Amino acid sequence: MRIDCKHVWQHISAYIENDVDPQLRADIDRHLETCEICSAVLDSTRNVVILMADDRVFELPAGFSERLHARIDRELEKAEDPNP
Amino acid sequence: MTATAPEFDADCIRRILAGEKHLFHELILPCERAIYFILFSLLKNEAEAEDVAQETAIKVYQNLGKFRGDSQFRTWVLSIARNEGLGRLRKISNRREDSLDAETDEQTGDYTPAILTSWREIPAEALEQKELGNVLRKAIEGLPEIYRNVVLLRDIEEMDIRESAAVLKISEASVKVRLHRARALLQRELAPQLKGFAPAKRRWFGGRT
């Protein structure tokens, strides 16, 4: 089936997730072969997804873990039994 | 972030409850990144997020005996984090509320993506630039909360749809719809800004799968 650009955009996230049925996937793939615009939209959306998963983009504040575990230590010392 | 094996968590919890309290550090360690970011997503403030993250860890410790193992430990922890964060949010009276309109705005419907054929590649070095991180963080912080938290769990912490739904207490279908909206909004916001990070002729990510 021929599908238009808007139809492709509606399914971009599911397409990236590999969560579209084989028929729709084939239709989208066929559209992408000839549509420069949709393949650019797909690539840039996928790039956003890849960038977000990079640990260098989202870093914990410096010293976060040390302060958290110091606080936990204080609690552990305080409480004899976690479930009194 | 990868979740630890349920058997490891169960064994660890059993030993902590039996008195090996120091093991709690190991138990909570794999969750702490997600705890912080789910709270940052809600509170949009580093100091508040860190403070509530610490309270969450203490609360998890104090309630460890109540964990029944019918969900992943991490899912349970993040639900607690989210509840604590919502509680803090209610206490902060002068904070800007996210638009309530967004709560009902879940149509996958029309959006117009940013159409830029020049931003199809991202150079690896670009990630080393602090500026790129800032641009991404700003875009995500600008999303309505219902989209931000889905992006955070699924795309930043790389949880699966099912676990994201469990943490947020929404259906898997809602996770997918919100994820779609969020990614579309981010693409539209980021593509024009990020094209500056891509050199003219370089392909870093492979083609379509």
Side-chain angles (χ1 to χ4, degrees):
Chain A
M1 193 184 83
R2 275 188 66 87
I3 51 176
D4 61 17
C5 297
K6 277 201 166 174
H7 198 138
V8 172
W9 299 341
Q10 275 170 20
H11 294 286
I12 278 211
S13 179
Y15 182 91
I16 291 172
E17 295 272 325
N18 220 344
D19 189 23
V20 289
D21 66 53
Q23 182 59 54
L24 179 58
R25 186 164 196 94
D27 291 341
I28 293 174
D29 283 339
R30 205 165 21 243
H31 179 96
L32 289 170
E33 274 167 23
T34 54
C35 183
E36 182 72 9
I37 288 169
C38 284
S39 23
V41 170
L42 174 69
D43 283 349
S44 56
T45 306
R46 183 181 278 138
N47 285 346
V48 167
V49 172
I50 292 169
L51 282 173
M52 284 193 291
D54 195 295
D55 283 353
R56 287 170 294 186
V57 172
F58 287 90
E59 286 182 328
L60 287 167
F64 170 85
S65 195
E66 289 78 6
R67 291 188 293 276
L68 176 70
H69 288 275
R71 172 82 191 272
I72 290 170
D73 267 331
R74 288 200 297 279
E75 179 68 20
L76 298 191
E77 283 163 23
K78 196 172 77 186
E80 274 303 301
D81 179 347
N83 293 283
Chain B
M1 181 183 64
T2 45
T4 47
E7 306 78 47
F8 171 82
D9 290 339
D11 184 56
C12 206
I13 291 166
R14 191 180 49 74
R15 289 170 63 188
I16 294 164
L17 292 173
E20 293 180 75
K21 295 188 292 183
H22 63 279
L23 288 176
F24 185 70
H25 290 290
E26 276 180 57
L27 181 69
I28 203 76
L29 193 67
C31 301
E32 60 189 44
R33 217 186 107 89
I35 294 174
Y36 174 79
F37 284 113
I38 200 171
L39 288 166
F40 186 76
S41 151
L42 269 175
L43 301 164
K44 289 195 185 176
N45 175 297
E46 276 195 17
E48 295 273 4
E50 176 161 350
D51 191 44
V52 182
Q54 292 188 3
E55 285 176 13
T56 299
I58 303 305
K59 189 140 192 171
V60 168
Y61 177 70
Q62 289 170 342
N63 289 281
L64 208 49
K66 292 180 189 157
F67 175 63
R68 289 283 163 257
D70 44 13
S71 64
Q72 274 193 58
F73 176 68
R74 182 177 64 172
T75 311
W76 183 69
V77 168
L78 294 180
S79 304
I80 292 174
R82 188 164 159 75
N83 278 338
E84 292 292 301
L86 290 170
R88 174 66 61 101
L89 208 53
R90 281 191 289 271
K91 280 189 200 161
I92 303 167
S93 52
N94 60 352
R95 192 173 297 278
R96 182 187 64 78
E97 290 290 325
D98 277 302
S99 163
L100 290 174
D101 297 343
E103 292 288 344
T104 53
D105 181 15
E106 280 206 1
Q107 292 83 17
T108 47
D110 290 354
Y111 85 100
T112 313
I115 295 163
L116 288 161
T117 48
S118 56
W119 188 59
R120 299 181 62 166
E121 304 115 33
I122 312 168
E125 316 86 70
L127 275 173
E128 306 294 346
Q129 299 171 24
K130 279 239 172 330
E131 201 190 328
L132 175 62
N134 290 338
V135 167
L136 274 161
R137 283 190 294 274
K138 222 174 132 202
I140 291 164
E141 285 163 29
L143 291 174
E145 208 266 324
I146 63 162
Y147 300 138
R148 198 166 58 237
N149 57 32
V150 168
V151 157
L152 178 102
L153 296 177
R154 177 72 192 105
D155 284 338
I156 299 175
E157 292 303 321
E158 299 180 271
M159 289 182 187
D160 61 28
I161 299 279
R162 205 166 65 103
E163 196 184 358
S164 304
V167 169
L168 298 172
K169 298 186 170 65
I170 57 176
S171 70
E172 292 182 28
S174 284
V175 171
K176 289 180 189 177
V177 169
R178 292 182 190 186
L179 195 58
H180 174 78
R181 286 288 287 184
R183 286 171 173 173
L185 289 168
L186 288 171
Q187 190 271 350
R188 197 164 55 188
E189 170 79 15
L190 288 168
Q193 297 188 62
L194 291 181
K195 73 184 167 80
F197 287 94
K201 287 190 179 110
R202 189 158 166 182
R203 186 142 194 102
W204 187 49
F205 296 123
R208 287 168 236 134
T209 52

